[in-house]
């Protein structure tokens, strides 16, 4: 059987991706073979496909870290032909082991999860690591005492997948959300998913002092770099910043003053957990749950497999909006 897969190769010191014809024997070993139906496009995936950074740890490799589909063969008793399943959230799939961007995937049975009640094959990937990471950040704000009456919550990289979900979840819980974006032309989209106000990327802080006017009770930061520093300088007393992203930079500079004079906290969020260990943040996103994004249909859209390379270029250029899902034919 021949099928199409995207592979990232290392050629002449560069990483190059292309869609190639494969057979099952070309894929890494595993007990379960899945016919792919949907795959997510995360920022990390766009970097892998575009040959940027060190996402892929073994070459050549099929990128893509989240897939859903139907089992077509299994040598493990937990799965049968026809089961609807997902693979997402490990440290290997689409990184060191052939991943999601292929019409068939083959993986160890321990990486495969049945689709849980309250999710379907499309929305389990549409929500995926992006919505789960945002839900973890929202739970962290709540856990640290940031309630809606404490003041507005800033969300950076607002038009991105994770941040769109964060805006949706926070607004449905009653928070006032201020969306910070490089694309202020997307203000009507951001308001339609729950933002009360939309500001430009450079408008988080108005000056460059170590402490600026106190504005935010909480923040969800998807970009790192200078915007993260601007958030820290403008947090209210006992404000909490939940950081999980690096689109604006992998490093940032801050003074100690927000921490020691305003008791600001910086919480790191890691959403790279397999579905089986996602706990309440994932369960709350099932249909009917209080963290289920109300605007999933506005945030998520489908792209064809053969449009993936071009779409990843748009992500790297920062021209994307919302969360793309690859639909396999
Ligand atoms: N820690 C974890 O477990 C975890 C899990 C998932 C994602 N992440 C990280 O979270 C971030 C967002 O992921 P995603 O999948 O939501 O990505 P995404 O959909 O591509 O969104 C990223 C957004 O960041 C903004 N952006 C892009 N380039 C920028 C730049 N140079 N400077 C400032 N802002 C820029 C853009 O929003 P605007 O134009 O609206 O500003 C863009 O839409 C990524 O860094 C990703 O690696 C981390």
């Amino acid at each position: 059987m021949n099928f199409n897969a995207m592979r990232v190769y290392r050629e002449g010191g560069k990483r190059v991706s292309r869609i190639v014809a494969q057979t099952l024997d070309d894929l890494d070993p595993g007990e379960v073979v899945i016919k792919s139906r949907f795959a997510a496009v995360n920022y990390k995936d766009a970097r892998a496909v575009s040959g940027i950074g060190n996402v892929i740890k073994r070459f050549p490799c099929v990128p893509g870290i989240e897939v859903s589909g139907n089992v077509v063969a299994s040598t493990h008793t937990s799965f049968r032909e026809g089961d609807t399943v997902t693979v997402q959230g490990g440290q290997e799939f689409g990184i060191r082991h052939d991943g999601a961007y292929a019409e068939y995937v083959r993986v160890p049975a321990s990486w495969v999860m049945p689709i849980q009640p309250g999710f379907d094959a499309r929305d389990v990937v549409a929500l995926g690591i992006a919505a789960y990471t945002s839900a973890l950040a929202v739970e962290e704000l709540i856990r640290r005492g940031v309630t809606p009456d404490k003041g507005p919550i800033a969300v950076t990289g607002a038009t991105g997948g994770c941040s769109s979900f964060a805006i949706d979840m926070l607004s449905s819980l009653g928070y006032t959300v201020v969306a910070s974006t490089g694309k202020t032309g997307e203000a009507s989209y951001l308001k339609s998913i729950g933002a009360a106000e939309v500001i430009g990327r450079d408008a988080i802080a108005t000056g460059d002092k170590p402490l600026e006017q106190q504005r935010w009770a909480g923040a969800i930061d998807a970009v790192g770099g200078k915007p993260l520093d601007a958030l820290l300088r403008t947090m209210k007393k006992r404000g909490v910043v939940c950081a999980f992203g690096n689109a604006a930079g992998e490093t940032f500079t801050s003074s100690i003053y927000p921490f020691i004079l305003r008791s600001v906290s910086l919480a790191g969020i890691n959403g790279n957990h397999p579905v089986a260990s996602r706990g309440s943040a994932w369960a709350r996103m099932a249909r009917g749950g209080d963290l289920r994004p109300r605007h999933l249909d506005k945030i998520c859209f489908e792209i064809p497999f053969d449009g993936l390379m071009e779409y990843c270029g748009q992500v790297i250029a920062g021209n994307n909006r919302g969360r793309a899902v690859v639909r396999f034919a």
Side-chain angles (χ1 to χ4, degrees):
M1 176 179 53
N2 278 311
F3 60 90
N4 288 324
M6 179 177 281
R7 274 201 182 276
V8 187
Y9 297 87
R10 195 160 45 193
E11 291 175 350
K14 286 189 178 164
R15 288 138 209 217
V16 184
S17 301
R18 48 184 176 266
I19 291 180
V20 290
Q22 301 273 275
T23 67
L24 281 181
D25 289 342
D26 295 319
L27 296 180
D28 286 325
E31 294 124 334
V32 184
V33 180
I34 301 163
K35 186 172 189 333
S36 307
R37 286 173 62 191
F38 300 100
V41 189
N42 296 284
Y43 185 72
K44 184 175 180 172
D45 298 317
R47 281 165 65 96
V49 168
S50 306
I52 296 170
N54 290 312
V55 179
I56 301 292
K57 307 289 189 203
R58 189 219 67 200
F59 296 90
C61 193
V62 175
I65 60 171
E66 296 178 271
V67 74
S68 67
N70 294 99
V71 172
V72 290
S74 173
T75 56
H76 195 282
T77 51
S78 302
F79 297 100
R80 285 196 201 150
E81 194 180 332
D83 287 351
T84 309
V85 295
T86 187
V87 181
Q88 49 179 284
Q91 300 298 323
E92 304 281 322
F93 186 59
I95 295 168
R96 284 190 188 82
H97 182 109
D98 289 329
Y101 296 154
E103 288 167 337
Y104 288 85
V105 304
R106 182 161 68 176
V107 288
S110 60
W111 299 1
V112 183
M113 273 294 295
I115 308 273
Q116 295 149 313
F119 297 91
D120 63 29
R122 185 180 185 273
D123 69 18
V124 78
V125 161
L127 294 163
I129 289 169
Y132 170 64
T133 303
S134 292
L136 282 181
V138 170
E139 284 197 334
E140 189 65 17
L141 287 179
I142 295 167
R143 200 177 66 77
R144 291 177 183 241
V146 181
T147 44
D149 56 301
K150 298 267 168 65
I153 310 295
V155 178
T156 60
T159 62
C162 294
S163 298
S164 292
F165 287 129
I167 292 167
D168 184 311
M169 290 174 194
L170 287 166
S171 66
S172 37
L173 294 176
Y175 289 90
T176 302
V177 183
V178 177
S180 157
T181 177
K183 309 179 198 82
T184 46
E186 294 289 358
S188 60
Y189 162 73
L190 291 167
K191 288 187 174 169
S192 78
I193 61 169
E197 192 186 338
V198 177
I199 60 172
R201 239 176 233 170
D202 299 329
I204 299 169
T206 46
D208 56 7
K209 295 193 213 119
L211 292 174
E212 292 282 343
Q213 186 194 353
Q214 298 183 40
R215 300 179 74 183
W216 326 113
I220 292 187
D221 177 46
V223 302
K226 284 191 174 163
L228 177 53
D229 168 51
L231 285 172
L232 290 167
R233 292 187 287 115
T234 50
M235 296 306 292
K236 287 175 181 273
K237 281 194 177 154
R238 285 174 289 283
V240 179
V241 181
C242 292
F244 57 69
N246 60 358
E250 292 174 353
T251 59
F252 71 99
T253 315
S254 173
S255 80
I256 195 68
Y257 294 112
F259 305 100
I260 63 174
L261 296 182
R262 290 184 180 165
S263 307
V264 168
S265 315
L266 178 56
I269 304 294
N270 178 9
N272 291 298
H273 305 145
V275 177
S277 60
R278 285 185 184 172
S280 71
W282 184 250
R284 290 172 74 180
M285 286 192 296
R287 214 162 288 122
D290 67 336
L291 290 184
R292 176 83 175 186
R294 289 172 303 171
H295 305 293
L296 191 57
D297 291 343
K298 275 186 195 154
I299 295 170
C300 292
F301 59 94
E302 293 177 4
I303 60 170
F305 186 34
D306 62 7
L308 177 61
M309 196 99 73
E310 188 193 338
Y311 179 74
C312 288
Q314 287 176 32
V315 173
I316 297 306
N319 293 332
N320 55 319
R321 182 187 98 177
R323 168 102 164 149
V325 173
V326 176
R327 178 191 276 274
F328 292 91

